[in-house]
Structures are given as C-alpha cells and as structure tokens.
Amino acid sequence: MDNLKGLNFDPHVSVDCVVLGYDGQQLKVLLATKSDEAPELEYNNVKLPGRLLRVNEDLDEAANNIVSQLAGARHPYMHQFRAFGSPNRTANPKDVLWLENATKQKIGRIVTIAYLSLIRITNRTKSAFNDSPVEWFPVSEIPQLAFDHNEIIDAALREVQRLSQMRPQLVFEMLPPRFTALQMRHLFEQIQRRELDARNFAKLVLSKPWIVPLDEWETGVSHRSARYYKFQANKVKK
Amino acid sequence: MDNLKGLNFDPHVSVDCVVLGYDGQQLKVLLATKSDEAPELEYNNVKLPGRLLRVNEDLDEAANNIVSQLAGARHPYMHQFRAFGSPNRTANPKDVLWLENATKQKIGRIVTIAYLSLIRITNRTKSAFNDSPVEWFPVSEIPQLAFDHNEIIDAALREVQRLSQMRPQLVFEMLPPRFTALQMRHLFEQIQRRELDARNFAKLVLSKPWIVPLDEWETGVSHRSARYYKFQANKVKK
DNA sequence: CCAAAAGTGTTAAAGTTACACCCATGT
DNA sequence: ACATGGGTGTAACTTTAACACTTTTGG
C-alpha cells in the first residue's frame, strides 16, 4: 500500500463503505481481500473497502473518493449511516497488524464512519482498492470479516431495507440501464427479505413517473418475453 | 475544567449531545455556556454539551455518561444519529482556543459523533457540565453556537421529527409523569412544525396501549378541566 | 350567562393486501 | 402440445384526513 505512505492520515478515524450492487441475480457487496504482503495472517483476510481519514478531509469527501474510485463513476449514491467506535473493534491483533503494516503507523482504537453506497455493477468497477483486490460477494454468503465489519454490513442491510420502503427510487441505482419487472422485484425481495406480490409490485413501481417502459423486449427465452424498463432519474421530484 | 486534565483523551474524536426536553410549553434544548475562564472570547460562547472521547471508551458509553450526568437519571433515551467531520468545523480560532484551554491539548480537526437524547426536564437536571453552566433554550430561540453546533441541532430536529412519526412512544420520554392531551399535542406540534387535528390526534395516541388515562383532572382552570394521562413504558411492545 | 378549552364520531379518499386467469414464446 | 414465466384487474380492508357541536368549569 505504497499510496498510503507519506500522506497525512489521522490514525483515529476511518471511513468504511458498504457498497451494494446487483448482478441481475443476487444482491452483492464489494469486499477487499488482503494483499499478499502478509501471508502469515490466515484469517479475517477480507474486509470492507475503507481507509483512514486524511487530515483536513471531509467524511463525505473521503467516502466519495473511495467509492467513485471503486465504481469507476463520478457521483455514486451514498450516505453516511452510522459511526462504530467500540474499543473492542480493533481487539484482534491480526487485524491491527494488517493495518499497521499497511499504514506504517501505530494503531490504537479507531472510530469508523460507515457509509452505504448503491451502485451499478459494470465492467468499469475496479478490481482493486489500495492494492487489495476487491470482489463482489453475495450478501447471503459473506465470510467472517476483519474488525467489526460483519456487524457494519448487518446495519447497512437494515438501512437499505428501510430506504427501499421510504425512497424506493434509490434502489434503481443498482439496476442496469434497462431491466425487466422481474429483476426489479427480485432485487426488492432480496433487500426486504420477503416475497412480494408480482401484481401489487408492478402496480406500485410502474405507476411512478421515473419508471419508463421501453419498446424493447427480452429475447432468447423459452417463454413470453419480458418488457424492458428504464429508470429516469430526472423524473424524481424533491 | 480540571476534571479533564490528566485523563487520556483522544484529541480527534468527540461526542456531542442534543438533549431535548419539554417544559409543558416549549420544546427546549440543553446548551452549555462558556465558563468565565476566558472572558476575552465574546462570541460563540454557547455550545452543545459534549467532550472528547476517552481512549478505550465506547461511543454510546460516552454519550450515556454525558447525558445521564446532566439529566440526573440512569438511562435516558438516546441514540447516535450522525457524525460531523468537516475540516471547517473547527475553523473559528476562538472555538479552538476555548477547547485547547480546557483540554490542555493541541487541537486540529475533530470528528464529532452526534447523539440525540430525549429527557424529562426535572429539578434533578444538573445546572453544570464540566464546570460550564448549562441552560434550557427554546428551540425557536437558539443563539449562534460554537463550531457547527447549529447545524448539528438542525439535523437533530429533523431526526426527532422522523422519530415522532415512526416511534411516537419515544416522544413521551419528554413528558412529565402525568400530562394532558393538550400537552401531548403541543409537543408533537412543535416537533413536527405543523398543526395537528385535536380529534385525530386523540384517536391516534389514546388508542395506544401505552397511554393510560388516569382518574385525575386538572384543577384551577377557568374552563372544563382536562384529564391526565400517563405513559406506561412496559406496554410498548417489540 | 359568558368565555374558554375539553371531549367526542362520521364520512370520504387514499393506500394496501389478497387473489387467478389468459398470453406469448421456445422446444 | 406443453412448459415456463409475463402480464393484467377487482374487491375487501386499513389508514388517513377533514370537519362541528355539546360539555364542563370559573368568573
């Protein structure tokens, strides 16, 4: 992590990002895996993308920096949802060692500000963050992570569940430029962890001005082909 | 602020608490006023109660510590609602000077974790915090505060507005042991910044199992006397 | 008896939930 | 022709919003 050396980092505050995406099948979260610099650490070698805050760097700025770097997009949707500061969160010496190795600083307890980001998975999504390879993991198969990152993801999943009810248009940040009604519904079902009635769901979202039906249909399926829709962000008001 | 000296404070992270209460008339917020140690500082001499985080202290623990000290109660309702970390928040040299004077540490940018707390105003509410006198200010008459504390209060007021819709029982943390329907409604009206229909409001809250009518009535008013109710926390489910 | 606030019910509109059949396509 | 998922409407119920008159009390 040479790009971390020599810069002015605050060794007490970090920003971690729960980046969610949808590949058309599953809700996924972007996780960084340990670089090979310290192969002696066998466990907890997967974590959320994040880093220490720079001196004079705003929280939103740091998060936007991290996520836009990963997403390959300028202004991905994100918002801060909670700070985590338990003294136990850096209790595992292996986690701390990894971080100290990477930052060349002595690390004590770190308060982290957690962000939720919803992005579209594209081939512009970068495959590395600060020299750690990153990978999409289905949220149903998240391994044990470093620090308290499992707890942070749990909180993020509750947050996106809440969002999907209060501001459903945000969920469409994760869908591709065109998508079928089934894809929409499957994504909402995974977020809300319950089955949704297809007719009621269609009524609800298709009545929104920001869901626009296209004159394009699925091809190559052995059943009636589904219509494509697009999301029109500028039709979302207030 | 001798009680701050000699302890191990993290000079990068603080906890600030927006403590709201209701005196039967107005929604109020508890603010600390500068002690007389530095009378040369003329402006921004009022701020939120809060302090730097101690090394190895949990965020919730720090906030609970601050508020229970002020409220004179063991477990006041509170929750973290947002972190503020703009590099500009400690831009005013007067604010920083005050803090450096109090902590005897060199202060740079501080990330603060903001908590919202809803308490009952009683005569057990302490009148000082870390040697600074504290005072209840009507939320409609908040002066210019130190740091970004006006912005933090604005965010807290939006948070309590949201809470009053989603978990109305929390609002009753601010009401006295017995209260009239009018008092309830006035409090909700101030939180939501709109008038509420008296009949609909009565229907809504009086139908809740945790609002219990008492056989006690207002006295000494020159009109029909109002019934008292109490809040029964153990009837709140889930 | 007057002034002031307390207390109380109905209706309309909007939103939510449950539920079943025919259609288009590929094999 | 069959298997697969696509697409569509209605009725019951629940929730929310609007709205006015009679009662009680003190002065």
Side-chain angles (χ1 to χ4, degrees):
Chain A
M1 298 199 184
D2 296 272
N3 54 348
L4 289 179
K5 286 179 208 160
L7 289 172
N8 245 337
F9 283 94
D10 180 334
H12 300 80
V13 184
S14 65
V15 167
D16 284 305
C17 300
V18 180
V19 182
L20 299 180
Y22 178 64
D23 65 2
Q25 309 286 323
Q26 285 179 296
L27 183 61
K28 294 190 162 176
V29 60
L30 199 55
L31 298 175
T33 57
K34 170 178 72 65
S35 65
D36 286 335
E37 291 180 17
E40 71 279 9
L41 306 179
E42 301 159 15
Y43 302 115
N44 297 345
N45 52 358
V46 184
K47 65 185 209 47
L48 288 172
R51 59 166 169 79
L52 293 175
L53 192 60
R54 295 203 175 97
V55 175
N56 288 322
E57 184 181 37
D58 192 13
L59 300 170
D60 287 358
E61 185 186 335
N64 187 66
N65 217 271
I66 292 165
V67 180
S68 53
Q69 182 182 329
L70 284 165
R74 286 162 296 276
H75 294 294
Y77 176 77
M78 68 173 56
H79 78 275
Q80 181 200 311
F81 69 94
R82 202 167 122 196
F84 293 79
S86 162
N88 305 326
R89 61 187 305 274
T90 48
N92 188 329
K94 287 179 178 171
D95 296 341
V96 177
L97 193 56
W98 178 13
L99 199 56
E100 288 180 341
N101 196 34
T103 61
K104 315 300 183 201
Q105 296 194 46
K106 184 69 188 162
I107 300 295
R109 185 268 302 272
I110 299 176
V111 172
T112 200
I113 316 300
Y115 279 76
L116 171 68
S117 178
L118 308 179
I119 73 171
R120 184 184 292 170
I121 300 179
T122 68
N123 46 22
R124 304 217 320 277
T125 307
K126 294 300 181 299
S127 58
F129 175 70
N130 285 350
D131 299 342
S132 297
V134 295
E135 204 179 318
W136 289 102
F137 286 74
V139 295
S140 54
E141 299 165 26
I142 295 172
Q144 199 181 34
L145 305 179
F147 306 109
D148 54 355
H149 289 186
N150 289 94
E151 189 190 340
I152 295 177
I153 291 181
D154 286 350
L157 292 175
R158 269 176 266 127
E159 175 70 6
V160 72
Q161 186 164 7
R162 196 178 67 82
L163 275 189
S164 74
Q165 313 245 27
M166 305 197 47
R167 300 174 63 190
Q169 64 278 21
L170 296 180
V171 172
F172 292 86
E173 301 283 341
M174 288 190 273
L175 285 160
R178 60 177 205 177
F179 43 81
T180 65
L182 182 63
Q183 286 177 317
M184 292 189 238
R185 184 159 53 86
H186 276 175
L187 178 51
F188 276 87
E189 284 179 339
Q190 286 181 61
I191 290 171
Q192 297 187 10
R193 296 171 177 281
R194 58 172 180 149
E195 294 203 337
L196 298 174
D197 179 87
R199 273 179 294 188
N200 290 336
F201 181 80
K203 228 184 309 174
L204 210 77
V205 305
L206 302 185
S207 71
K208 306 293 184 189
W210 33 267
I211 291 295
V212 181
L214 302 175
D215 284 331
E216 300 171 34
W217 280 266
E218 234 179 356
T219 55
V221 288
S222 76
H223 53 77
R224 178 170 175 181
S225 52
R227 183 166 207 160
Y228 282 116
Y229 298 85
K230 70 172 181 179
F231 174 62
Q232 198 152 331
N234 62 3
K235 295 246 175 99
V236 178
K237 63 174 65 92
K238 184 172 158 36
Chain B
M1 297 201 183
D2 296 274
N3 53 348
L4 289 179
K5 286 179 209 159
L7 288 171
N8 244 339
F9 284 93
D10 180 333
H12 299 80
V13 184
S14 64
V15 168
D16 284 305
C17 300
V18 180
V19 182
L20 299 179
Y22 177 64
D23 64 1
Q25 309 286 324
Q26 285 180 294
L27 183 62
K28 291 188 166 179
V29 59
L30 200 54
L31 297 175
T33 56
K34 172 177 72 67
S35 64
D36 286 335
E37 290 179 17
E40 71 279 11
L41 306 180
E42 300 159 15
Y43 302 116
N44 298 345
N45 52 358
V46 184
K47 66 186 208 51
L48 288 172
R51 60 165 169 78
L52 292 175
L53 192 61
R54 295 203 176 95
V55 176
N56 288 320
E57 184 181 37
D58 192 14
L59 299 170
D60 288 358
E61 186 187 335
N64 187 66
N65 215 272
I66 292 165
V67 181
S68 54
Q69 182 181 328
L70 284 165
R74 285 162 299 278
H75 294 293
Y77 174 76
M78 67 173 60
H79 78 273
Q80 180 199 310
F81 70 94
R82 202 167 123 196
F84 293 79
S86 162
N88 305 326
R89 60 187 305 273
T90 47
N92 188 330
K94 287 178 178 172
D95 296 341
V96 177
L97 193 58
W98 178 13
L99 199 56
E100 288 181 342
N101 196 35
T103 61
K104 313 301 183 199
Q105 296 195 46
K106 183 69 189 166
I107 299 295
R109 186 266 303 272
I110 298 175
V111 172
T112 199
I113 316 299
Y115 278 75
L116 171 67
S117 179
L118 308 178
I119 73 171
R120 185 183 291 168
I121 300 178
T122 68
N123 47 23
R124 304 214 322 277
T125 306
K126 294 301 181 300
S127 58
F129 174 71
N130 285 350
D131 299 344
S132 297
V134 295
E135 203 179 319
W136 288 102
F137 286 74
V139 294
S140 53
E141 298 165 27
I142 295 173
Q144 197 181 34
L145 305 179
F147 307 110
D148 53 356
H149 289 187
N150 289 92
E151 189 189 340
I152 295 176
I153 291 181
D154 286 349
L157 292 175
R158 268 175 267 130
E159 175 71 6
V160 72
Q161 187 164 7
R162 195 178 68 82
L163 275 189
S164 73
Q165 313 245 24
M166 305 198 47
R167 302 175 61 190
Q169 65 278 21
L170 296 179
V171 172
F172 292 85
E173 301 284 340
M174 289 190 271
L175 284 160
R178 61 176 203 178
F179 44 81
T180 64
L182 182 63
Q183 286 176 317
M184 293 190 237
R185 185 159 53 86
H186 276 175
L187 178 50
F188 275 87
E189 285 179 338
Q190 286 180 61
I191 290 171
Q192 298 187 10
R193 295 173 177 281
R194 59 172 180 148
E195 295 205 337
L196 298 173
D197 179 89
R199 273 178 296 186
N200 289 336
F201 181 80
K203 230 183 307 175
L204 209 77
V205 305
L206 302 186
S207 71
K208 308 290 183 190
W210 34 267
I211 291 295
V212 182
L214 302 175
D215 284 331
E216 301 172 35
W217 280 265
E218 233 180 356
T219 55
V221 287
S222 75
H223 54 77
R224 179 172 176 180
S225 53
R227 183 165 205 161
Y228 282 115
Y229 298 85
K230 71 173 178 180
F231 174 63
Q232 198 151 331
N234 61 3
K235 295 243 174 104
V236 178
K237 64 174 62 94
K238 179 160 163 51

